[in-house]
Amino acid sequence: MPALLIPPRPPRTDEWAPAWTAFVGRRANNSVYGWPEDAFRSSWKTRQVLGFTVHLVSDPDAIARVLLDNKANYERPALVRKLLRAALGEGLFNTEGESWREQRRIVAPTFSPAAVSNFADTIATVVQGRIGRWRTGPLPMDMAVEATGTTMAIIAETLFDGDARLTAPAAAGHITAMLDAAGRARVMAMLGIPAFGPGSARARAGGRFLRDTLGAMADERAAAGGGDDFFGNLVAALHTRYSAVEARELAVDNAVAFYVAGHETTANALSWTIYLLAAQPDLQDELRAEAAAALAGGDMRDLDARLPRLRAVLDESLRLYPPAPRLDREAMADDELAGRPVRRGDLISIWPYVLHRHHALWSEPDAFDPQRFAPDRRLAMHRYQYLPFGAGPRVCVGARFAIVEALIVLAHWLTARRFTLRPGPPPVPVGRVTLRPERGMPLTVSAIHEVRPSA
Ligand code: HEM
């Protein structure tokens, strides 16, 4: 059997460094840099960080208790909610208890498999339109930039009926500035230190633009008694349960959350997946043939059934480069996890990035092997060892949307062009709120019939 590809990952250390080193040097800007080997072999580590007791948990049974069996005891940490409040208010992503249950009930039907299936044609139209504007010839392209533009356009078209205020070029600049700042928010914001500088001014202006625009759109939908698009339905449903003022606020909070949670995550999944295929030209050719056959009839629905190999590659890419690399919870009361005591106020830190590369759970964890996701092997996995979308009641509400979107985009990219690596250093994963490639994803994009460069 040929050796498996070991795609790039940040360097590791032999020892656990003192907790404060996470706030200086490279680790301050990259949460997946410099983890000790031991983290990928042990299931539990307790540390003191900024006065908090933090338990790093990589035991799937203990994780199941946190995210599902005793879920009521483990909320999003108050500190994280505070940090996110400026951008996400009290919308679905950033709330707990009855308010969360109510909003989840309102939003969930829009993201059901049947509802997502109805978005498939719109998603395909967006990606076809963008590919139509790509220049021909072997060209250097930053596929991270392309992926971000594509996922942003898809959200605007599917959830907001392609409203011109959101799709105009100036809007993209505002939204990107705001999302970029949300993605960078880390230590400074956690310590309550406001950000300064031109970047933060642009981000604030971007945030204002997004909230004002979405607020105006919510008012229009409310005046029209709803509307037949996602946002109209959301506004109408919120108005039946909340006062007009609250409903408007929550509509905007949730709309911003769909941009924040649903756009860069999927863009990162696309970037890493196309990189993995550029690094493996034979596999890319095989998947191109699978994609061509799947798209041939023009029916975009239920593509996973016709793209089993691409789906397995996407799952493996989400394992190696989980776009949401960490999930945090705060214990509301004392508890016991895997036989260890947890005290009220302790933080539970679950890192899909660590769990997905854990030696007790995966063979050759750093190697790319989509066979792990063959149907029979998938069934043998512990449900809580693979968490790209989280799990339990707070599992990503957009998970199905993201998978359908990624498969449609990748199938179109593969049937339109060939992707090859460029000379230079490999991409470096950098963990912020999401796991992104540090210097983008520059690839060479050429016509399929052009002679394939030797690998
Ligand atoms: C590959 C793409 C995506 C990944 C990897 C991802 C990952 C996640 C994860 C891990 C969570 C749970 C966080 C936690 O438990 O603390 C989450 C929640 C969420 N995601 Fe996604 N997501 C993706 C795409 C999307 C899309 C496309 C949307 C919507 C358009 C979306 C909307 C949300 C929302 C609203 C929540 C909060 C749900 C709740 O708290 O009830 N996500 N996502």
Side-chain angles (χ1 to χ4, degrees):
M1 220 175 71
L4 296 170
L5 173 78
I6 310 283
R9 66 161 169 77
R12 292 183 188 161
T13 56
D14 293 334
E15 304 273 335
W16 286 88
W20 59 264
T21 59
F23 303 109
V24 294
R26 287 206 68 164
R27 291 187 63 211
N29 286 317
N30 183 356
S31 65
V32 296
Y33 186 89
W35 277 76
E37 268 303 332
D38 182 56
F40 301 86
R41 293 168 195 277
S42 55
S43 60
W44 188 281
K45 177 83 179 172
T46 299
R47 316 198 84 198
Q48 298 300 320
V49 185
L50 297 176
F52 290 91
T53 300
V54 181
H55 307 291
L56 294 170
V57 182
S58 298
D59 169 344
D61 287 330
I63 294 173
R65 181 165 172 83
V66 173
L67 297 181
L68 180 68
D69 303 328
N70 195 18
K71 197 247 152 253
N73 192 46
Y74 295 98
E75 298 195 343
R76 284 219 202 297
L79 194 68
V80 173
R81 289 179 58 198
K82 186 172 156 205
L83 166 65
L84 294 178
R85 195 161 293 134
L88 300 182
E90 292 293 326
L92 175 68
F93 197 94
N94 208 30
T95 187
E96 284 288 346
E98 191 46 38
S99 159
W100 169 77
R101 257 185 300 280
E102 184 78 12
Q103 294 188 58
R104 182 92 187 192
R105 261 199 299 273
I106 291 174
V107 163
T110 315
F111 290 107
S112 70
V116 167
S117 202
N118 290 333
F119 290 138
D121 286 334
T122 308
I123 295 171
T125 306
V126 171
V127 63
Q128 285 158 4
R130 291 189 67 95
I131 292 172
R133 293 196 293 276
W134 291 4
R135 287 185 291 136
T136 48
L139 285 174
M141 254 177 98
D142 184 340
M143 291 309 292
V145 171
E146 178 59 20
T148 306
T150 303
T151 56
M152 198 185 288
I154 287 172
I155 298 247
E157 289 296 333
T158 50
L159 304 188
F160 303 100
D161 204 22
D163 193 297
R165 283 167 287 187
L166 294 175
T167 53
H174 277 310
I175 297 169
T176 307
M178 185 249 168
L179 296 180
D180 205 49
R184 279 170 196 276
R186 251 193 106 222
V187 182
M188 300 298 263
M190 282 179 80
L191 297 174
I193 301 166
F196 296 107
S200 49
R202 264 200 313 278
R204 277 196 299 279
R208 264 197 311 277
F209 165 85
L210 194 55
R211 289 194 78 85
D212 290 351
T213 307
L214 292 166
M217 288 167 58
D219 292 340
E220 289 159 16
R221 303 291 201 280
D228 57 7
D229 66 335
F230 166 84
F231 196 47
N233 289 330
L234 178 68
V235 169
L238 288 168
H239 273 268
T240 61
R241 291 167 175 85
Y242 295 93
S243 73
V245 174
E246 282 172 322
R248 182 187 197 271
E249 200 64 11
L250 287 177
V252 174
D253 288 345
N254 278 297
V256 176
F258 294 129
Y259 262 107
V260 174
H263 131 98
E264 201 191 305
T265 44
T266 317
N268 287 328
L270 291 170
S271 302
W272 288 112
T273 308
I274 203 66
Y275 167 79
L276 290 165
L277 294 178
Q280 300 171 96
D282 292 335
L283 178 62
Q284 186 185 146
D285 280 341
E286 287 161 28
L287 294 187
R288 181 172 293 112
E290 184 186 72
L295 297 183
D299 183 359
M300 297 298 146
R301 282 165 304 159
D302 305 322
L303 272 184
D304 357 13
R306 283 172 283 139
L307 292 171
R309 297 195 62 202
L310 183 58
R311 174 67 204 261
V313 166
L314 176 62
D315 289 338
E316 178 67 342
S317 160
L318 290 169
R319 182 184 72 84
L320 289 165
Y321 302 106
R326 70 186 290 175
L327 311 172
D328 292 297
R329 295 293 189 267
E330 180 175 345
M332 296 293 109
D334 292 356
D335 192 21
E336 198 180 282
L337 287 176
R340 294 166 198 264
V342 170
R343 300 272 166 253
R344 176 168 182 264
D346 287 0
L347 299 182
I348 308 295
S349 205
I350 301 164
W351 282 77
Y353 174 75
V354 174
L355 192 69
H356 290 182
R357 291 173 181 259
H358 201 286
H359 286 262
L361 302 170
W362 309 90
S363 66
E364 292 195 71
D366 291 317
F368 172 86
D369 179 10
Q371 284 305 317
R372 304 174 201 275
F373 291 96
D376 52 329
R377 288 179 61 188
R378 184 191 289 262
L379 283 177
M381 272 177 206
H382 193 301
R383 167 65 187 92
Y384 288 79
Q385 80 177 78
Y386 179 62
L387 298 174
F389 295 104
R394 286 204 89 132
V395 68
C396 174
V397 77
R400 180 70 197 152
F401 185 101
I403 294 288
V404 166
E405 175 184 12
L407 288 177
I408 294 176
V409 172
L410 289 166
H412 279 87
W413 282 0
L414 288 172
T415 48
R417 295 289 195 282
R418 181 182 303 288
F419 300 86
T420 37
L421 299 183
R422 296 181 62 72
V428 179
V430 58
R432 300 247 165 83
V433 173
T434 60
L435 189 70
R436 44 166 85 170
E438 189 170 29
R439 288 180 293 272
M441 195 57 83
L443 296 178
T444 298
V445 180
S446 35
I448 290 164
H449 56 75
E450 272 165 33
V451 178
R452 207 178 89 182
S454 52

